[in-house]
Amino acid sequence: MADPSPATIEIRNLWKIFGPKASKIIGTDTAQLDQAELKRRTGCVAAVRDVSFEVAAGEMFVVMGLSGSGKSTLVRCLTRLIEPTDGEVSIDGESVRGMSQSALRQLRRHRVSMVFQHFGLLPHRRVVDNIAYGLEIQGIGAAKRRERAAEMVELVGLSGYDQSYPDQLSGGMQQRVGLARALAVEPEIMLFDEPFSALDPLIRRDMQDEVIRLHREVGKTMVFITHDLSEALKLGDRIAIMRAGEIVQLGTPEELVGAPADDYVADFVADIPKTDVLSLRSIARPDDDASTSDGPELDASTIIKDAVPAILSADKPLRVVDNGQLIGVVNHNDVLSVMVGDKR
């Protein structure tokens, strides 16, 4: 197995407490109080509580939680749009909390881009000029700005709309402009704070597909905030589920659905069909029948739903392989057992 990518973002024991004398609470018994009791006793709200995780280079890392869970506060702490109360945030090994205001401006202008739910487009500027705005702030010359913006128009599927104004576009198209603007400055990292939550369901699905495509094509490290579990499962390489400022489980979609850490996570994933998320690896059983040696093969990472046609059409158990090595077999009864479990 290849070595994992190095961490681009490192979060260590991060806290954000809003209220009077917030920094004095950390490290005391008071910090362990639940949200309501902490508010009653101190007037403070702990939006992020002792959170630690890493995001690998090129990873799509999703933070999911209900309203008030602390996810949006967390993502804003990464570039100090909200100042953390305590803990450490590092990008490529450099402490964000230790940056001067000048270095912080450089980080936000050149290395990290953010896409919000509200598009924030300039209404008096055409699409191409909105896309080029970040480059203008960087001091890039007009000719190079136009060239780069034109490339981004093509990349996000806005060909033919480059001279339109924002109010002439649908919500989904406006969000594409926001994506293009964020990509235009060639950031190392892209942060998304519930960018699609105001869009209609069909447009939202299209935009999710667009982000998946862009992630595959441009390979940026991405942190995506959402309250929607289906969106998280669709987008995330790994997902952190937050509740009351804390991460209650962090793992791959398969780990969350297949082995929820507690009842809270179990309730979240209860309505998710396991066949849509779990891979053949999770249901493969030992091969104790030599007659399967010439049976059909599928990779262990294949999602069960996608393997169903091959399994049902095979006259022998299907061989499950990982890097060419047999790890087990599955047949139609194995798939049926997962499907029956979904309906309980």
Side-chain angles (χ1 to χ4, degrees):
M1 181 180 294
D3 293 335
S5 298
T8 291
I9 302 172
E10 296 182 70
I11 310 299
R12 293 285 177 264
N13 308 112
L14 188 68
W15 287 81
K16 178 57 189 179
I17 300 178
F18 294 98
K21 299 180 180 178
S23 61
K24 297 184 180 300
I25 293 173
I26 297 166
T28 69
D29 291 342
T30 303
Q32 306 308 314
L33 297 174
D34 65 30
Q35 299 281 47
E37 187 64 14
L38 181 67
K39 174 71 172 174
R40 188 184 70 80
R41 289 196 194 182
T42 68
C44 293
V45 175
V48 177
R49 289 174 171 260
D50 199 20
V51 165
S52 299
F53 62 86
E54 296 181 357
V55 182
E59 182 177 15
M60 171 65 86
F61 187 90
V62 174
V63 182
M64 199 217 80
L66 301 178
S67 178
S69 63
K71 59 189 184 300
S72 289
T73 299
L74 172 62
V75 77
R76 283 167 166 77
C77 285
L78 301 187
T79 56
R80 287 171 54 193
L81 292 177
I82 291 177
E83 286 285 351
T85 306
D86 198 37
E88 188 56 65
V89 179
S90 297
I91 293 178
D92 292 330
E94 183 179 3
S95 171
V96 175
R97 294 197 69 199
M99 288 181 178
S100 65
Q101 287 301 312
S102 174
L104 197 56
R105 283 194 297 272
Q106 291 299 306
L107 177 77
R108 294 170 183 168
R109 289 179 180 178
H110 296 273
R111 298 170 61 189
V112 181
S113 285
M114 196 158 187
V115 182
F116 295 94
Q117 175 182 342
H118 302 291
F119 317 124
L121 303 182
L122 302 171
H124 61 287
R125 288 193 173 206
R126 299 179 190 275
V127 164
V128 69
D129 298 316
N130 265 284
I131 293 172
Y133 182 68
L135 298 169
E136 183 179 337
I137 295 297
Q138 290 182 355
I140 304 299
K144 190 169 182 179
R145 290 201 308 266
R146 285 194 296 270
E147 179 183 357
R148 178 66 178 165
E151 292 174 0
M152 293 302 98
V153 165
E154 294 285 338
L155 182 65
V156 302
L158 285 172
S159 298
Y161 294 94
D162 54 316
Q163 296 303 312
S164 299
Y165 288 97
D167 64 1
Q168 296 173 314
L169 304 177
S170 68
M173 293 174 74
Q174 289 182 37
Q175 194 58 281
R176 286 175 186 267
V177 179
L179 279 173
R181 182 177 57 190
L183 284 164
V185 298
E186 299 186 88
E188 301 168 23
I189 297 167
M190 297 185 71
L191 308 178
F192 298 81
D193 189 9
E194 299 208 60
F196 309 145
S197 59
L199 301 178
D200 293 336
L202 290 179
I203 298 174
R204 182 172 187 162
R205 185 182 64 191
D206 288 345
M207 291 305 303
Q208 291 165 359
D209 292 339
E210 186 69 11
V211 167
I212 291 170
R213 181 184 70 81
L214 290 172
H215 183 245
R216 182 172 61 246
E217 291 186 8
V218 302
K220 301 295 183 185
T221 304
M222 296 181 175
V223 178
F224 195 102
I225 307 299
T226 182
H227 66 270
D228 185 291
L229 179 62
S230 296
E231 184 167 74
L233 294 172
K234 181 174 182 177
L235 296 177
D237 295 320
R238 288 187 301 149
I239 301 166
I241 296 183
M242 290 191 72
R243 175 183 58 186
E246 299 178 281
I247 292 178
V248 294
Q249 187 168 358
L250 194 165
T252 65
E254 187 166 5
E255 289 168 343
L256 266 59
V257 172
D262 59 16
D263 290 343
Y264 182 77
V265 180
D267 285 343
F268 257 120
V269 303
D271 295 329
I272 300 296
K274 291 183 173 61
T275 54
D276 290 1
V277 180
L278 300 184
S279 69
L280 293 179
R281 184 190 308 278
S282 67
I283 62 169
R285 52 188 170 76
D287 179 20
D288 53 8
D289 184 352
S291 69
T292 65
S293 60
D294 60 347
E297 292 184 357
L298 277 180
D299 191 89
S301 63
T302 306
I303 300 302
I304 295 173
K305 178 183 67 174
D306 297 333
V308 166
I311 293 171
L312 294 182
S313 64
D315 57 2
K316 295 181 179 181
L318 188 143
R319 292 160 50 85
V320 180
V321 297
D322 185 11
N323 291 323
Q325 297 296 312
L326 179 69
I327 66 170
V329 296
V330 298
N331 62 19
H332 64 279
N333 287 329
D334 300 312
V335 174
L336 285 173
S337 67
V338 177
M339 297 174 72
V340 170
D342 277 338
K343 297 180 186 300
R344 289 175 182 169

